[in-house]
Amino acid sequence: MIEQRLDCLGEACPVPLIKAKKKLSNMKSGEVLIIKVDHSCAMNNIPEWANKEGYHVNIKEVDLGLWEIYLIKTK
Amino acid sequence: MSIKDNVYYKTFLKEPWPYAVGAVLLGLLNISMLISTGDAWGVTSHFATWAAWIYQSIGGQPEAWLYFQEKGNAAELANGFLKDMQSLSDIGVIFGALLATLLASQFRVKKIKSWKQVAGAIIGGLLMGYGARLSFGCNIGTLFSGVASMSLHGWVYWVFIFIGAWIGGKILLRYLI
Amino acid sequence: MDEPKHLFHYTFWKVKIMTEIKTSINIKTNKKRDNQIFIGIALLVAIIGIGFFIGNHQPKSALLWGLGTAAGFILQRSRFCFAASLRDPLLTGGVSLTKAVVIAIATASVGFAAFQYLAAVKGSVIPGNIDPVGIHTVVGAVLFGIGMVIAGGCASGTLMRVGEGSLMQMITLVFFIIGSLWGAKNFGWWSINFMPKQGVFLPDVFGWPLAIAIHFTLLLAIFILADWFGSKKNNEEG
């Protein structure tokens, strides 16, 4: 499984979502994107968008106020 | 079992609440504010008062400006911090958010990543401060409270802030990402 | 403990159109520091203590301190963001906050209208934020709209994120306050040249029944429009 990483620490909305979108559009189906965020709104709006797109999402809280969002590109 | 695994802890203090829950609670909160204090919720006018207090302390005379001669603003300026109850609600917002973040164990100092962010913060802050004075408030005072008060200025604000946000989005994509 | 790859502890988001729930939060922190709950409880005690202290001098100030704290708590817990409600539809296609803001305004409107109607019957000044409308409203709104997008949050959002520990939003707050002083200084010029003396209160123009009907119809229309726009965007992309 190919994993791509995106570091969005310190970025405020809507920057993480825009970056994630851009990155995902260059990825192939089946690849995984791991987005690191520390913005509490991003761990809400990225999954929301990804759900609408039909991607699989898993959020992992790796530290206090620090999340890794796993997105599996399904199509 | 530690508290972190408790299902109620997760529902109320850890997981984000659905937006609709926040919306209804904020609506009720604004009603409580209007009824208990006589004023609807507002945020930015207190920023102007804070700035004026600081300006006065370094020798400025903002009380001569037309803005601070309007009745409410003049009183707020003259009252000083402890008597100016409205601005306590602003400080309360900071502490309420801090409390929520700590109870969820999610507090973290978020560092500044780039100079572009700093530029955005400075220019954005100045534009918001200036703009809010012209439109008699911000998204809270004019959009939320103004529209809820059935005032025309709230509705006009809603239309044009949408356009402003669209322009802002273009600038963000072009220069700040 | 070795954790299984797809151990989903609890579901997080209910997506109305999806048949399967695809989002899950996996809270397994791999670090030593345990939690901040006890600092949070200490802060809660301090907030209540400060409330009583203020209340001894100024009971109403204590009330606002409490209401403000509640507002910050609700904003943070529900990730509420007025800036996103205005920015996201065109920038990212997200409309859920737009709809949430309509709900918030509609909820507040019910209480506001009742309170205002009582005041009108008694013949006293109508409460609420009713301010002059004109070119200044347009300019102010556009400037504010640009500012909140490039700064990453509006006034309430900035305060909330200062509480969350964002250094960038602290800079925003400082310049927000400076900008307010600048705006207050120029307010006189705008006031003399553009501002009418009084605001326009819709029930004064249309009468109470029609004004309330127009008000809630518009809110409903915005809600439906946002919903339609959101699903249209989604279909285009998907």
Side-chain angles (χ1 to χ4, degrees):
Chain A
M1 208 156 53
I2 301 166
E3 283 185 358
Q4 301 234 33
R5 288 189 166 266
L6 190 60
D7 180 2
C8 288
L9 295 187
E11 312 248 41
C13 286
V15 179
L17 177 56
I18 292 170
K19 285 190 170 173
K21 266 184 165 180
K22 209 168 159 191
K23 192 119 185 171
L24 265 174
S25 66
N26 298 323
M27 285 168 53
K28 292 192 195 72
S29 180
E31 291 183 1
V32 179
L33 177 63
I34 305 170
I35 311 154
K36 218 173 185 185
V37 293
D38 59 6
H39 189 69
S40 65
C41 303
M43 64 80 81
N44 225 2
N45 72 10
I46 293 178
E48 190 194 352
W49 166 79
N51 269 323
K52 262 182 23 184
E53 295 291 307
Y55 301 145
H56 286 273
V57 189
N58 189 12
I59 305 168
K60 199 170 174 186
E61 193 176 340
V62 289
D63 198 348
L64 306 178
L66 189 68
W67 297 273
E68 278 182 352
I69 304 172
Y70 289 73
L71 285 179
I72 305 171
K73 188 163 183 180
T74 46
K75 58 188 173 194
Chain B
M1 194 175 88
S2 83
I3 184 166
K4 283 192 293 178
D5 301 316
N6 182 293
V7 64
Y8 296 108
Y9 171 71
K10 282 177 178 171
T11 311
F12 294 113
L13 294 175
K14 186 78 183 172
E15 269 189 279
W17 296 346
Y19 290 138
V21 171
V24 171
L25 289 177
L26 287 174
L28 295 176
L29 188 106
N30 205 345
I31 297 171
S32 330
M33 239 180 231
L34 180 68
I35 291 176
S36 64
T37 68
D39 288 309
W41 187 19
V43 173
T44 39
S45 65
H46 319 307
F47 290 173
T49 316
W50 294 351
W53 286 334
I54 297 167
Y55 190 52
Q56 277 180 330
S57 73
I58 57 169
Q61 280 163 330
E63 63 275 7
W65 302 344
L66 195 60
Y67 177 83
F68 285 109
Q69 285 171 358
E70 302 224 331
K71 214 172 133 212
N73 302 331
E76 200 174 321
L77 184 67
N79 271 338
F81 180 74
L82 259 183
K83 276 191 182 166
D84 170 40
M85 5 178 260
Q86 293 278 347
S87 74
L88 273 172
S89 67
D90 279 8
I91 299 167
V93 172
I94 299 179
F95 280 91
L98 176 62
L99 176 67
T101 316
L102 285 172
L103 289 176
S105 287
Q106 289 169 350
F107 184 80
R108 156 177 298 269
V109 175
K110 295 156 184 88
K111 298 197 181 68
I112 294 162
K113 201 172 184 181
S114 69
W115 285 105
K116 281 183 178 179
Q117 277 188 337
V118 177
I122 292 174
I123 299 167
L126 287 173
L127 286 176
M128 283 195 283
Y130 193 88
R133 284 309 90 227
L134 299 189
S135 48
F136 289 88
C138 58
N139 289 343
I140 304 294
T142 302
L143 176 59
F144 189 13
S145 300
V147 175
S149 303
M150 290 194 279
S151 169
L152 184 63
H153 89 295
W155 284 102
V156 171
Y157 178 88
W158 205 350
V159 172
F160 286 94
I161 193 164
F162 194 74
I163 295 170
W166 175 72
I167 300 169
K170 296 272 174 217
I171 296 172
L172 183 82
L173 291 177
R174 178 82 178 74
Y175 298 105
L176 295 171
I177 290 189
Chain C
M1 193 186 91
D2 233 322
E3 67 184 85
K5 198 144 199 188
H6 291 289
L7 180 63
F8 294 164
H9 288 258
Y10 55 92
T11 56
F12 151 71
W13 197 277
K14 288 157 208 81
V15 187
K16 52 174 188 182
I17 25 169
M18 296 293 152
T19 43
E20 56 180 317
I21 292 162
K22 285 174 174 148
T23 306
S24 54
I25 298 187
N26 203 339
I27 299 176
K28 271 279 186 279
T29 44
N30 356 313
K31 39 84 215 156
K32 297 132 259 160
R33 270 182 307 160
D34 195 15
N35 63 56
Q36 299 165 328
I37 298 171
F38 294 104
I39 312 173
I41 292 168
L43 179 66
L44 179 63
V45 172
I47 287 172
I48 294 170
I50 292 170
F52 277 108
F53 176 76
I54 300 167
N56 282 335
H57 302 275
Q58 283 271 319
K60 262 193 158 182
S61 305
L63 192 65
L64 266 148
W65 167 248
L67 288 169
T69 312
F73 192 85
I74 298 167
L75 284 169
Q76 204 283 335
R77 282 294 48 238
S78 57
R79 310 283 191 264
F80 215 84
C81 183
F82 283 86
S85 81
L86 298 154
R87 168 198 73 204
D88 284 355
L90 292 179
L91 196 60
T92 67
V95 292
S96 41
L97 272 163
T98 315
K99 292 191 281 182
V101 164
V102 175
I103 295 172
I105 293 175
T107 310
S109 299
V110 176
F112 276 41
F115 196 56
Q116 288 173 322
Y117 185 72
L118 284 178
V121 168
K122 274 191 279 178
S124 44
V125 181
I126 304 288
N129 286 1
I130 301 156
D131 290 307
V133 54
I135 272 294
H136 58 279
T137 317
V138 173
V139 177
V142 170
L143 291 179
F144 196 93
I146 297 171
M148 74 181 182
V149 175
I150 61 179
C154 67
S156 58
T158 299
L159 290 174
M160 173 190 118
R161 287 182 195 107
V162 167
E164 282 187 334
S166 166
L167 293 178
M168 187 180 98
Q169 300 286 0
M170 288 179 198
I171 301 179
T172 309
L173 182 58
V174 169
F175 283 90
F176 203 137
I177 292 169
I178 296 172
S180 298
L181 190 69
W182 181 29
K185 189 175 193 306
N186 285 4
F187 180 87
W189 182 82
W190 289 94
S191 179
I192 290 162
N193 289 301
F194 299 107
M195 287 181 199
K197 277 276 164 292
Q198 305 233 293
V200 179
F201 182 50
L202 296 180
D204 286 345
V205 181
F206 300 108
W208 278 90
L210 187 59
I212 287 179
I214 293 173
H215 182 77
F216 283 97
T217 310
L218 276 174
L219 286 176
L220 182 66
I222 295 172
F223 188 93
I224 293 171
L225 185 71
D227 202 47
W228 167 82
F229 186 75
S231 45
K232 181 179 148 254
K233 270 262 176 187
N234 195 32
N235 289 339
E236 275 170 12
E237 287 177 5

